[in-house]
Amino acid sequence: MEGTIVNIQKYSIHDGPGIRTTVFLKGCPLSCWWCHNPESQSTKNEIMFFEEKCTGCGICVKRCPEEAITMKEMKPTIDETKCILCGNCTDFCYNEAREYVGQKIGAIELFKEIQKDEIFYEESGGGVTFSGGEPLLQVDFLSEVLDICNKKNIHATLDTSGYTKWENIEKIVNKVDLFLYDLKLIDDEKHKKYIGVSNKLILENLKKLSSLGKRIFVRMPIIAGINDDNDHIDESIKFIKTLNNIEQVNLIPYHSMGMDKYKRLNMDYKLSGMEKPADEKMEELKEKFEKEGIKVKIGG
């Protein structure tokens, strides 16, 4: 079976225990305002344009079989209604100003890439993490890769938003060693505004997953003025305390490292000017969880 990935990140130390290989699968049903992997949102392949690398040579215009690219003010402009994503413009760009996003890969081929770092997993207690996007959008492909990892005793972590049918989680629940489960906003109306969907399915799935006794780390992004207020934190703590097997809460401070990707994909970034939360604020939030007996870590 084939799936579509964005990339494979080696030697990751922030996506589960030990040294890990993180596989980013393409496609996500959410549209978080602070998403730092916008190239993983669409299920379709895309082309990122690095304007700062472009010299205006025009080779992409000449190589496009659909005449979808034209030059305006010495810069190429693409007509997306004509583009068939053939990749010619990326293959022939001398300056690597265009990057093709989205790679078809078979389950066995992907596992072979994962297995290359097996020695690091053994020495550090690491393994593979499937992230995205939302990996459960490709649940059958994910399930097949997990089967191979399980047979080879490679620790498997799933980084998920939880926004999927419960049946999809059931397909892989016994193949995953650790769940990194995102909890972005408790208030449903705010969730709809900043994430694009209701959180009811997400919260319900987390309850069900918790009831099965699975290892779970809850990951909470912290964005100033959106979800760093006392009401949200207090309600999050209240909800988490109703669950079983939440080993740890990770508070992830907002960062803008993915902002440039939006321009490269011709997408709007809604949080321009947003600052990273102050260290003092993160420590204050951490103390709130700790006072309620919840193990918490900043970052990770």
Side-chain angles (χ1 to χ4, degrees), residues 43-61:
T43 57
K44 299 178 181 179
N45 294 342
E46 299 169 281
I47 293 174
M48 295 180 73
F49 175 54
F50 296 74
E51 185 176 356
E52 67 277 11
K53 293 182 180 181
C54 180
T55 59
C57 70
I59 188 67
C60 54
V61 176

Side-chain angles (χ1 to χ4, degrees), residues 107-123:
I108 294 174
E109 182 185 357
L110 176 55
F111 175 75
K112 287 179 179 178
E113 284 298 314
I114 294 168
Q115 195 176 30
K116 288 178 181 178
D117 298 323
E118 193 169 10
I119 187 171
F120 299 106
Y121 310 151
E122 293 171 353
E123 292 179 354

Side-chain angles (χ1 to χ4, degrees), residues 55-81:
T55 59
C57 70
I59 188 67
C60 54
V61 176
K62 297 175 183 177
R63 293 293 183 174
C64 179
E66 303 299 315
E67 299 182 348
I69 306 175
T70 55
M71 297 298 291
K72 292 183 179 180
E73 297 180 356
M74 294 297 292
K75 293 292 182 183
T77 300
I78 190 164
D79 183 345
E80 294 182 1
T81 63

Side-chain angles (χ1 to χ4, degrees), residues 199-266:
N199 66 5
K200 292 180 180 179
L201 180 61
I202 293 169
L203 299 182
E204 191 59 36
N205 282 341
L206 182 51
K207 290 177 185 177
K208 290 179 180 178
L209 186 62
S210 171
S211 71
L212 297 178
K214 298 301 174 181
R215 292 190 65 205
I216 304 169
F217 287 7
V218 168
R219 302 192 1 147
M220 296 177 59
I222 303 298
I223 297 90
I226 294 178
N227 64 358
D228 66 337
D229 57 282
N230 287 333
D231 286 345
H232 170 66
I233 298 302
D234 290 344
E235 287 301 310
S236 298
I237 290 172
K238 182 179 177 181
F239 175 70
I240 289 169
K241 289 182 72 174
T242 68
L243 306 173
N244 301 318
N245 304 303
I246 304 302
E247 293 189 17
Q248 179 172 294
V249 171
N250 288 75
L251 302 178
I252 315 293
Y254 165 83
H255 62 76
S256 59
M257 288 188 289
M259 185 168 61
D260 289 342
K261 295 179 182 179
Y262 286 78
K263 182 180 179 181
R264 293 165 187 164
L265 290 166
N266 197 28

Side-chain angles (χ1 to χ4, degrees), residues 3-251:
T4 305
I5 65 171
V6 175
N7 72 323
I8 301 172
Q9 181 176 311
K10 305 281 189 172
Y11 315 120
S12 174
I13 57 173
H14 299 295
D15 297 319
I19 297 173
R20 312 193 69 79
T21 297
T22 303
V23 180
F24 293 89
L25 281 77
K26 203 167 187 336
C28 184
L30 310 183
S31 52
C32 306
W33 284 23
W34 50 85
C35 177
H36 59 275
N37 290 324
E39 74 277 21
S40 69
Q41 290 183 14
S42 174
T43 57
K44 299 178 181 179
N45 294 342
E46 299 169 281
I47 293 174
M48 295 180 73
F49 175 54
F50 296 74
E51 185 176 356
E52 67 277 11
K53 293 182 180 181
C54 180
T55 59
C57 70
I59 188 67
C60 54
V61 176
K62 297 175 183 177
R63 293 293 183 174
C64 179
E66 303 299 315
E67 299 182 348
I69 306 175
T70 55
M71 297 298 291
K72 292 183 179 180
E73 297 180 356
M74 294 297 292
K75 293 292 182 183
T77 300
I78 190 164
D79 183 345
E80 294 182 1
T81 63
K82 293 182 179 180
C83 177
I84 60 171
L85 295 168
C86 65
N88 272 17
C89 60
T90 65
D91 292 341
F92 289 98
C93 180
Y94 302 129
N95 301 294
E96 298 182 346
R98 292 184 179 274
E99 179 180 318
Y100 199 84
V101 182
Q103 173 191 348
K104 286 285 187 182
I105 191 168
I108 294 174
E109 182 185 357
L110 176 55
F111 175 75
K112 287 179 179 178
E113 284 298 314
I114 294 168
Q115 195 176 30
K116 288 178 181 178
D117 298 323
E118 193 169 10
I119 187 171
F120 299 106
Y121 310 151
E122 293 171 353
E123 292 179 354
S124 69
V128 60
T129 298
F130 297 96
S131 186
E134 173 50 65
L136 290 170
L137 271 186
Q138 301 185 56
V139 66
D140 293 329
F141 171 69
L142 174 66
S143 181
E144 185 170 333
V145 181
L146 285 169
D147 281 337
I148 306 172
C149 291
N150 289 171
K151 288 177 183 177
K152 299 296 184 178
N153 294 315
I154 291 178
H155 184 278
T157 292
L158 178 64
D159 183 4
T160 180
S161 69
Y163 190 76
T164 188
K165 296 185 297 184
W166 176 249
E167 290 81 359
N168 288 338
I169 296 178
E170 283 186 311
K171 288 181 180 180
I172 52 83
V173 70
N174 293 320
K175 304 175 184 182
V176 173
D177 298 296
L178 172 65
F179 289 85
L180 306 180
Y181 202 104
D182 295 344
L183 186 63
K184 305 173 194 295
L185 280 159
I186 292 293
D187 182 272
D188 194 37
E189 290 306 310
K190 281 189 173 183
H191 203 279
K192 290 174 184 176
K193 177 179 179 179
Y194 294 108
I195 312 299
V197 300
S198 168
N199 66 5
K200 292 180 180 179
L201 180 61
I202 293 169
L203 299 182
E204 191 59 36
N205 282 341
L206 182 51
K207 290 177 185 177
K208 290 179 180 178
L209 186 62
S210 171
S211 71
L212 297 178
K214 298 301 174 181
R215 292 190 65 205
I216 304 169
F217 287 7
V218 168
R219 302 192 1 147
M220 296 177 59
I222 303 298
I223 297 90
I226 294 178
N227 64 358
D228 66 337
D229 57 282
N230 287 333
D231 286 345
H232 170 66
I233 298 302
D234 290 344
E235 287 301 310
S236 298
I237 290 172
K238 182 179 177 181
F239 175 70
I240 289 169
K241 289 182 72 174
T242 68
L243 306 173
N244 301 318
N245 304 303
I246 304 302
E247 293 189 17
Q248 179 172 294
V249 171
N250 288 75
L251 302 178

Side-chain angles (χ1 to χ4, degrees), residues 277-292:
D279 292 343
E280 294 80 9
K281 179 65 175 181
M282 295 303 299
E283 288 295 336
E284 176 188 322
L285 300 183
K286 181 173 181 283
E287 287 179 13
K288 275 182 166 287
F289 284 89
E290 290 176 334
K291 285 180 180 179
E292 296 296 329

